[in-house]
Each structure stands twice: as structure tokens, then as C-alpha cells.
Amino acid sequence: MWSASPTFQRSVGAAAPDAVPDRAVLPESRPILLIEDDAGMRLMLLLALEDAGYTVQLAEHGAEAQQQLAAVRPRLILLDMRMPVMDGPTFLQWLYSQTDIAPPPVILMTAYHELDPATRQLGLPAITKPMRIDALLELIRQHAEPE
């Protein structure tokens, strides 16, 4: 049987008055920016990250993420390396060329076991897809900025 999620219940006032709100819905929570073009992978990661208590903002490619970074400062970026419109290496080049913002930590996600030499030289943490969610969550705990 379907029941409203705690987030939905809180938004319509149906939650118990003593209920503790999820971390994922607190307004001061800084999001993780997930940049991933594959809809299935994006949904799987969104659900896993929200289940772990993180707020998540989604972008399908680097150009969309550029627009979002104008409005929000994420605590971490999860970046797919191969995407249409703007791929991971091009997004990283743009991100690190910005002089008005300090770039947030980035974790690279790739379905290929090798990163190109220029990206590898950045020394960023990387995880290979398909990935173990517990391994990804540990990387996030190690590298995310505090809220």
C-alpha cells in the first residue's frame, strides 16, 4: 500500500509534531551536485545519496552544472567523465579556471578503468562504474566539505 513519505508529510503538515526532520530537507543543507547523463545511474545514485541523508542536486551534463553553480555552492561534485554537450574533462577545465569561486571537492565517476593523463594529473579521487554504494559513500565522507 502507498503511503506518503515523511518529506511529503512534513510539507503538508501531517507529520507528528515531535518528528525529527530528515537532513535531506533542511534548508541550510549544502547539496552534492551529481553530474551524470545516464538517467538510470542518476536515479540510482540520487536514491542512495538521499537515503544516506544527503541533499542532491542533479545535472545531466557539464553545461547544466555550470548554470547551477551560479546559484548554489555544493559541498561536493560527483562528476561523470563521458557525457554529451560538455564532458567531465571540459567541465573540470572550466571549473578550475574560475577565479571568483574556490572549486568544491570533486569525485570522478567513470565506466572506463583509465582516466586521460591530464585528468589523472589533477589527483582527484575516482570511482569506477558500476560501483559499490558503500565505497562511494566512504569517498564522499572523506572528501565532502562540511555543511
Side-chain angles (χ1 to χ4, degrees), residues 38-95:
D38 181 88
M41 178 65 73
R42 203 169 48 245
L43 178 61
M44 190 249 337
L45 291 172
L46 171 67
L47 294 174
L49 293 170
E50 285 182 340
D51 189 52
Y54 293 104
T55 301
V56 181
Q57 190 163 339
L58 301 173
E60 288 186 42
H61 49 75
E64 188 177 326
Q66 284 178 322
Q67 295 171 348
Q68 292 181 19
L69 285 172
V72 70
R73 165 101 174 130
R75 59 190 302 203
L76 180 112
I77 295 174
L78 290 174
L79 177 64
D80 184 19
M81 294 307 292
R82 297 210 180 175
M83 300 174 287
V85 184
M86 180 186 285
D87 65 6
T90 305
F91 175 79
L92 286 171
Q93 184 178 28
W94 172 83
L95 181 66

Side-chain angles (χ1 to χ4, degrees), residues 132-145:
R132 289 186 14 237
I133 294 300
D134 61 331
L136 177 62
L137 292 174
E138 183 57 32
L139 272 176
I140 291 170
R141 279 190 283 279
Q142 291 172 8
H143 296 283
E145 292 177 346

